[in-house]
Amino acid sequence: MLIVLGLCINSISWLAFPGVGPGNLLERNLNIAAWSDLLILGEGRLFPDAAGIPTWSAGALLSLPATAVIAILGTLAGEWIQRHGEGPKRLILGLLGAGTAAILCGVAWGSVHPMIKAIWTGSFVLFASGIGLIATALFYVWIECKDRHGAIIRALEIMGRNSITAYLIHVFAVIVATLALRDGYARLAALSSPQIATFAVIGAILAMVFTPTWWMNRRGWILRI
């Protein structure tokens, strides 16, 4: 499964942009992911230039398999943590080692397959997965080994129990923030500063994500895959 998803992600480096020519990751949006976005979202949203290449693309074609790869790796890491019997030290070192290896491989791969977050290139997915594994190890040390369970950790636990729900809501929340809060951001930035306005938007997104997961946690509802 991971191999198939990896091939899907890597396809953007060798599939041509239909009607334009060979794909080139070093040229903005000249790739199959941008073409699929243009096909799905339409010219009114992406505004293609004279050559037919969209001026903005989110790489929707690659987001799903890339997210699946990270989710599968996270699931495997979680299962390893749950069933480990070799003690926390070996577990932590294993997570740190796997994360470091993934980051180094991602950086090395990035020399021939650039790391581009917007279109979820394979090297970026590998690099991001490595960061996630290292973060998992650090949180394990902080929460399980040092037994820290403050309000922030409690909030993370609530969102973690419904991480799939949180992710799906986050996608919707970002769209809402981008479209509905644009004018509010501009006004707040003019009254205060762009930094404060940015933090306000991030806070609104976090609230939109946390509130439903908190409500589901109160009711004991957990969405699983």
Side-chain angles (χ1 to χ4, degrees), residues 158-159 169 205-217:
I158 290 173
M159 294 181 66
I169 296 175
I205 293 174
L206 286 175
M208 284 188 279
V209 173
F210 180 75
T211 302
T213 54
W214 171 82
W215 182 76
M216 292 176 67
N217 184 71

Side-chain angles (χ1 to χ4, degrees), residues 13 18 23 55-56 59 72 78 83 89 94-95 120 127 157 168 178 181 197 208:
S13 63
T55 55
W56 173 85
I72 291 173
R83 67 169 183 261
K89 183 177 181 180
L95 289 171
W120 291 87
F127 182 83
E157 288 176 345
L168 294 175
T178 302
L181 301 181
M208 284 188 279

Side-chain angles (χ1 to χ4, degrees), residues 58-100:
L61 176 67
L62 279 304
S63 296
L64 184 58
T67 302
V69 168
I70 294 178
I72 291 173
L73 290 175
T75 300
L76 293 175
E79 290 179 350
W80 184 29
I81 291 174
Q82 288 182 332
R83 67 169 183 261
H84 83 91
E86 61 274 16
K89 183 177 181 180
R90 185 173 178 181
L91 172 65
I92 294 166
L93 291 177
L95 289 171
L96 291 174
T100 301

Side-chain angles (χ1 to χ4, degrees), residues 12 17 24-25 27-49 52-63 116-121 178:
I12 58 175
F17 192 115
N24 183 0
L25 294 182
E27 185 172 340
R28 183 176 177 82
N29 294 333
L30 185 55
N31 54 71
I32 193 66
W35 174 80
S36 69
D37 284 353
L38 185 63
L39 182 67
I40 296 170
L41 299 177
E43 295 185 2
R45 178 69 184 275
L46 297 184
F47 308 107
D49 59 20
I53 302 172
T55 55
W56 173 85
S57 175
L61 176 67
L62 279 304
S63 296
I116 305 174
K117 191 270 179 189
I119 53 176
W120 291 87
T121 56
T178 302

Side-chain angles (χ1 to χ4, degrees), residues 3-14:
I3 294 176
V4 172
L5 292 172
L7 289 174
C8 290
I9 297 171
N10 195 45
S11 65
I12 58 175
S13 63
W14 47 267

